[in-house]
Amino acid sequence: MPEHMDQPGLAHPPGRTALVTGAGRGIGKATALALAVQGLHVVLTGRHEQRLHEAVGEIRALGGSAQALVGDLADEGFWQALAALDRSVDVMVHNASQPAPFGVIENVPIADLHGVMDSVLFAGLRLARLCVPHMKQAGFGRLVFVGSTASELGAHGQVAYAAAKSGLQGLVRSLALEVSRFGVTCNLVEPGFIDTERTRGAVSDTVRAALGARAAVGRAGTPEEVAAVIAFLSSPLASYVTGVCLPVSGGIELGLK
């Protein structure tokens, strides 16, 4: 494994498992790689089988341990497969989301509004409900949710997305109150404008450059920069950090509030 494994406090003891949703690309994939470096067995979930298996291959090539669980958070069969895993989850990272089509609220189909809320917020609740009992019993657990600075700034044409990500703030703070005395922490990472395959496909080069320039650091972020923060919050070293909603945004929100 890479030398990062030798950093005290970041490495996990043998036998622990991490679950990462939306792990086929972008922030999710980068997070899965970062957690594998910490010595965790990583279960990568997502809808795209080839992407997941490629990510699993990269982890194994580094000497890590991983497996893919292909499925859609909207499919009850996926939840049954998740519950039937032969491993208990010690670190849960909920990164998956299903953005609605860009458009003003009255033009977005109801089904798409439901899809966003279900994949982000309700799925987050279900994942916590599934993972928390084992974490409490073990006396250790890390719950990390991936939100967005849209919670603070709003998002024109993506009202449902911003609303769902805002809901994660209440979920994280309330869940932290329930679980933290059991050695289980619960935190929210809120990325700003991150250079991913999804943002490249959705936003023109000109707009992407303008959004990156709005950040205090003057550029877009990378998936690896977000994953590094998630990895810290997932580590044993972050035992006194809970209920936090942390922007990882390059300061894109500064001066705008």
Side-chain angles (χ1 to χ4, degrees):
M1 292 295 288
E3 61 182 7
H4 301 79
M5 286 289 296
D6 297 328
Q7 295 181 10
L10 289 177
H12 288 263
R16 283 183 179 168
T17 296
L19 172 72
V20 183
T21 69
R25 61 180 182 175
I27 293 170
K29 179 181 176 181
T31 297
L33 287 163
L35 296 180
V37 167
Q38 292 182 347
L40 292 158
H41 173 81
V42 186
V43 180
L44 296 82
T45 81
R47 294 178 294 174
H48 300 282
E49 183 173 4
Q50 182 177 349
R51 289 175 186 164
L52 289 180
H53 286 299
E54 288 174 355
V56 167
E58 288 184 39
I59 289 172
R60 291 176 177 172
L62 290 171
S65 176
Q67 69 186 88
L69 180 61
V70 182
D72 193 318
L73 291 168
D75 181 4
E76 195 60 33
F78 169 79
W79 290 98
Q80 294 171 3
L82 191 56
L85 275 177
D86 59 357
R87 293 173 173 269
S88 297
V89 175
D90 304 287
V91 173
M92 189 283 294
V93 179
H94 179 37
N95 167 70
S97 65
Q98 178 186 315
F102 183 85
V104 294
I105 190 69
E106 64 267 28
N107 293 338
V108 180
I110 291 292
D112 289 322
L113 298 178
H114 274 294
V116 178
M117 299 301 290
D118 287 348
S119 66
V120 175
L121 189 53
F122 188 62
L125 288 163
R126 282 192 77 168
L127 286 165
R129 188 174 186 270
L130 183 67
C131 297
V132 160
H134 161 73
M135 293 178 176
K136 283 184 175 180
Q137 185 176 20
F140 175 89
R142 297 287 183 266
L143 301 162
V144 183
F145 296 84
V146 180
S148 170
T149 52
S151 299
E152 304 293 337
L153 304 179
H156 176 72
Q158 283 284 290
V159 173
Y161 177 80
K165 294 294 191 179
S166 295
L168 291 177
Q169 294 182 340
L171 185 162
V172 162
R173 289 169 176 144
S174 299
L175 191 55
L177 288 170
E178 289 191 11
V179 303
S180 297
R181 291 183 183 273
F182 297 90
V184 182
T185 64
C186 183
N187 293 291
L188 178 66
V189 170
E190 298 182 318
F193 185 67
I194 307 301
D195 184 19
T196 65
E197 291 178 39
R198 176 178 283 181
T199 58
R200 282 182 231 129
V203 182
S204 70
D205 290 346
T206 301
V207 173
R208 283 171 51 230
L211 287 171
R214 279 177 53 179
V217 299
R219 61 172 176 83
T222 68
E224 290 73 21
E225 287 173 315
V226 181
V229 178
I230 295 172
F232 166 72
L233 293 173
S234 301
S235 73
L237 197 63
S239 56
Y240 207 61
V241 183
T242 195
V244 168
C245 301
L246 177 63
V248 184
S249 63
I252 198 169
E253 72 282 6
L254 297 175
L256 297 177
K257 294 184 180 179

